[in-house]
Amino acid sequence: MNTKINDYVTWVGKTDWELKKFHGDEFTTEHGSSYNAYLIRDEKTVLIDTVWLPYDREFVSNLKKEIDLKKIDYIIVQHGEVDHSGALMELMDEIPNTPIYCTANGVKYIKGQYHEDWNFNIVKTGDKLNIGKHTLTFIEAPMLHWPDTMFTYMDNEGILFSNDGFGQHLASEFLYADEVEQDKLWKEAITYYANILAPFSMMVKNKINEILKMNLEINMIYPSHGLIWRKNPEQIVKKYLEWADNYKENQVTIIYDTMWNSTRKMAEAIASGIENIDKNVTIKLMNTSKDDKTLVLTEVFKSKAIVVGSPTVNNGYLHSIAGILEMIKGMKLKNKKAVAFGSYGWSGEATKLITEELRKAGFEIINDGVKVMWTPDEEMLEQCKKLGEEIGRTCA
Ligand SMILES: Cc1cc2nc3c(=O)[nH]c(=O)nc-3n(C[C@H](O)[C@H](O)[C@H](O)COP(=O)(O)O)c2cc1C
Ligand SMILES: [Fe+2]
Ligand SMILES: [Fe+2]
């Protein structure tokens, strides 16, 4: 339901409690999500973003309860992705001439998806739109996370509308970050960063520093997913700067898959070796055919090193490991170490192939890893433990 935030701004988005997968099957949204759209009523009326396509009719009918659509003076499209632009067709059917403000790339992407030549107005960083008591300032934010993304700053209230930046996939009956369970909030915030923004960390860092230099008074941050940062928005900005700066905790994540458990036994022996060297390091073992990939990527993001194992199968490695390696490669992580392992029966290519993929993904390779023929015996498990100890030492 629409929610009045203050005298000028009303939330007119959609809380999607049911959403369990986002971006096809790429992102598991355990706690649903929301598509936040905002209506600003000053001397001029402005709509910032819309909602995901399946909710387009619901969105427009809810918006009508708020305002006569013809009274909307400007529509701001901060990002052309369907989860925010999805209701445009439904809306523009009713008000086809209303000006749409977006970046130059925004025009291309909206046209590419909806094939309509609406009344587009291209904006750049620093461009302003006076709407009465307030002025809106546009800030282009390319690659946070698409080339078309932009933020919008509303003066006096000190609101930064940040679109996908600072968001979380978290459906809630509340509107504000300070009202929800904090552990859940921060877990969803880092999961969002790791799975969506990690490849663009350099741009995130530069953009935040650029905005800080603009000396805007930012009292609140209104993202397009999840909860609004109304108190101390600096806390999420500070976290983003940490996450964008080759983030790592004292953690090693061991990722493996196995058909008959030999590779699992190796994983456990490697873990005990790491522990022999460092009792304080957090070690996580994750089986890629059982654990959720979104959570695996978040743990990889938090790790100083990862250890990746698969048995050899048909001269290659298991598909869940192939999938996760492809996703990890896309994260473009820096300053992390890695090593491979696995059991095999006769040809045993997997360990070497995984090592190559890890190198291509930008990891510093610790050594050639360990491969074991068939089921590991005590001596082979000892070799795995030794690998763990070496990981412990190189990452200390
Ligand atoms: C369908 C299938 C294909 C396999 N292909 C290969 C192979 O190409 N080369 C090889 O060295 N071992 C191959 N193996 C043997 C496994 O690597 C071996 O059984 C290994 O110990 C399994 O480890 P796990 O217990 O971790 O699943 C294959 C096994 C299966 C079931
Ligand atoms: Fe997006
Ligand atoms: Fe989004």
Side-chain angles (χ1 to χ4, degrees), residues 161-278:
F161 296 93
S162 61
N163 196 263
D164 282 335
F166 311 112
Q168 332 91 43
H169 283 310
L170 179 51
S172 173
E173 67 274 38
F174 296 109
L175 209 51
Y176 302 108
D178 54 281
E179 295 176 298
V180 302
E181 211 183 296
Q182 295 298 294
D183 280 357
K184 202 165 157 189
L185 171 76
W186 286 102
K187 188 170 162 250
E188 288 304 330
I190 193 170
T191 299
Y192 192 95
Y193 189 96
N195 284 269
I196 305 262
L197 289 164
F200 316 112
S201 282
M202 191 55 100
M203 284 79 137
V204 170
K205 196 156 92 178
N206 291 343
K207 185 53 58 181
I208 291 178
N209 287 326
E210 179 193 320
I211 293 174
L212 292 176
K213 281 203 194 99
M214 288 169 86
N215 274 324
L216 304 170
E217 192 186 330
I218 297 173
N219 299 325
M220 289 182 267
I221 296 180
Y222 288 24
S224 59
H225 297 286
L227 288 306
I228 292 174
W229 306 93
R230 78 169 153 184
K231 286 186 186 162
N232 313 322
E234 328 58 85
Q235 55 181 333
I236 184 69
V237 174
K238 206 172 132 227
K239 273 287 170 203
Y240 263 50
L241 285 173
E242 268 176 46
W243 293 337
D245 191 19
N246 296 325
Y247 184 70
K248 51 184 167 231
E249 297 179 11
N250 188 21
Q251 177 172 328
V252 177
T253 305
I254 304 175
I255 301 160
Y256 65 94
D257 195 356
T258 179
M259 297 179 289
W260 301 113
N261 281 326
S262 293
T263 305
R264 175 178 61 75
K265 287 177 186 146
M266 295 176 73
E268 289 169 7
I270 293 168
S272 75
I274 301 171
E275 217 184 325
N276 283 347
I277 301 296
D278 184 354

Side-chain angles (χ1 to χ4, degrees), residues 258-263 311-315 343-348 374:
T258 179
M259 297 179 289
W260 301 113
N261 281 326
S262 293
T263 305
T312 298
V313 54
N314 301 333
N315 310 107
S343 169
Y344 71 103
W346 47 94
S347 55
W374 301 111

